[in-house]
Amino acid sequence: MTAPAPALSRVHGTLHALQVPIPYPMKTVTVLIDMGGPVTLIDAALDTPEARQAIEDGLAALGLHWPDVERVIITHHHPDHYGLAGVVEERSGAAVQMLDVEIGRGERYWHMWEEWLPGHVKHMRDHGLPLELLETLEGESRRTRARVQPATRVQPLREGQTVPLAGGEWEVLWLPGHADGHLGLWNEAESLLIAGDAILPRISPNIGLYAYTRPDPLGDYLQTLGKLEALNPARAVVGHHGPVMDGVQARARQLRGHHHERLDFIRAEAGREPRSAYALSLAMFPRDLNTAGRRFALAETLAHAEHLRLLGQLARTWQGEAWVYHG
């Protein structure tokens, strides 16, 4: 049987987008391959046999192999974007690069995971996550960690510097919210943005508050949306449901409206009845979710509640075993 052709499409010049399968609801993640010098991967999927094979096939379709890769740029540390970075580094000696902000927290998480796990569990427990959902957290976290092979040496990129890619110069952007150190790459001449998960066409990027993140990820993300509105790229390469989208400015405005609606909802719910972030998450996400989905829902609800608290629009009180938000 002939193997299926890789889901590869040309984005601009020597820059190609590869759709790599991942075992998550999004189904695929975008990995970019630039054949120009230096040969570059942007993002590195998750370490599964299917993802390894898809990237190998994508490289082969362009006449390349693992040892040809000279540079890997990671948009953010989440497992479906960073998982194979260490494998690529080992097979090719490629330089792995991330935004400096992301190296100090997000990338470090994968090296410090065992030490940080108790704090992660406590964070979820302090905001009301029930025991039956806490008990599955460590096992699921271990399974995810096994699919991430972090790089041994990560080189920092800094906001405002330029990197050569696809025959042009691209500006490094800091687009926090979905991840503290989320990186974007901007080609002004082509009005083309490599956006990662900073903006997505069909779903709202998860904006969650975790034990190791900055204190106001939603505030960060609202600023990122403003930056994307002002930038107004003609096209953006996105991490999921792409690989390319247009209408970025309109989508950024839509997402801002979406988050303000959620802020209004949380403010009203907490004002009506003081509740933990987990209890508020059941009101904001009433549909059936699996255990991982429930934890994402808690982190997202918490990001909204804490944003309101930092604005002085909600208060937070320790009651028994969890923090409770109230008007």
Side-chain angles (χ1 to χ4, degrees):
M1 180 182 291
T2 304
L8 190 68
S9 57
R10 191 171 73 87
V11 174
H12 166 67
T14 57
L15 187 66
H16 293 75
L18 178 68
Q19 298 302 288
V20 177
I22 52 174
Y24 297 150
M26 299 86 72
K27 304 295 185 187
T28 63
V29 64
T30 302
V31 171
L32 289 164
I33 306 172
D34 181 31
M35 299 167 61
V39 174
T40 300
L41 291 186
I42 299 176
D43 284 341
L46 192 68
D47 186 12
T48 65
E50 296 80 10
R52 288 190 186 212
Q53 189 63 56
I55 294 175
E56 190 169 309
D57 291 346
L59 289 168
L62 298 172
L64 302 169
H65 303 283
W66 294 106
D68 296 316
V69 180
E70 300 170 79
R71 177 177 62 173
V72 182
I73 299 175
I74 302 296
T75 60
H76 60 298
H77 77 283
H78 292 169
D80 52 329
H81 295 259
Y82 187 49
L84 277 165
V87 174
V88 182
E89 177 189 55
E90 181 182 351
R91 291 187 175 186
S92 67
V96 178
Q97 300 178 328
M98 300 175 85
L99 197 66
D100 52 358
V101 180
E102 193 75 334
I103 294 173
R105 282 179 190 259
E107 201 276 337
R108 189 165 173 247
Y109 171 82
W110 298 114
H111 301 276
M112 303 290 292
W113 176 84
E114 200 80 49
E115 293 92 328
W116 287 6
L117 181 62
H120 186 40
V121 172
K122 182 180 186 300
H123 171 77
M124 291 283 181
R125 184 177 63 239
D126 286 353
H127 289 287
L129 192 72
L131 180 61
E132 62 269 21
L133 297 183
L134 278 170
E135 288 175 340
T136 63
L137 179 57
E138 180 173 346
E140 288 189 13
S141 297
R142 287 190 185 282
R143 283 190 289 276
T144 298
R145 178 63 184 85
R147 290 170 163 173
V148 176
Q149 310 304 327
T152 59
R153 304 171 303 282
V154 184
Q155 299 176 358
L157 295 172
R158 294 177 175 83
E159 183 182 22
Q161 79 175 86
T162 59
V163 296
L165 191 72
E169 291 294 320
W170 298 64
E171 181 185 354
V172 175
L173 304 180
W174 181 31
L175 303 173
H178 179 64
D180 287 350
H182 196 298
L183 169 148
L185 293 171
W186 169 237
N187 185 324
E188 184 176 12
E190 297 295 329
S191 193
L192 178 60
L193 173 69
I194 296 172
D197 288 355
I199 193 161
L200 298 170
R202 285 173 44 192
I203 59 174
S204 170
N206 177 253
I207 309 301
L209 178 60
Y210 297 94
Y212 66 94
T213 56
R214 284 162 56 90
D216 187 14
L218 182 59
D220 287 342
Y221 190 58
L222 292 173
Q223 290 189 43
T224 286
L225 290 174
K227 188 181 295 187
L228 294 177
E229 283 184 63
L231 211 58
N232 190 20
R235 296 187 301 154
V237 185
V238 293
H240 309 284
H241 303 301
V244 177
M245 68 174 285
D246 54 16
V248 172
Q249 187 180 69
R251 178 62 173 154
R253 288 173 178 159
Q254 185 182 49
L255 286 170
R256 174 185 277 107
H258 164 77
H259 285 293
H260 280 294
E261 286 177 7
R262 286 190 164 176
L263 287 167
D264 290 343
F265 179 86
I266 292 294
R267 187 188 300 109
E269 286 290 311
R272 184 172 62 82
E273 179 188 350
R275 271 170 284 178
S276 70
Y278 177 74
L280 288 167
S281 78
L282 295 176
M284 192 157 81
F285 298 94
R287 64 188 183 276
D288 287 339
L289 295 172
N290 61 22
T291 55
R294 271 287 148 222
R295 288 194 292 268
F296 280 124
L298 168 56
E300 177 112 11
T301 302
L302 182 56
H304 287 74
E306 275 295 293
H307 183 68
L308 291 168
R309 186 182 73 85
L310 293 168
L311 289 174
Q313 297 179 16
L314 282 184
R316 187 180 79 174
T317 305
W318 183 259
Q319 291 190 9
E321 297 181 348
W323 291 105
V324 169
Y325 290 88
H326 52 89

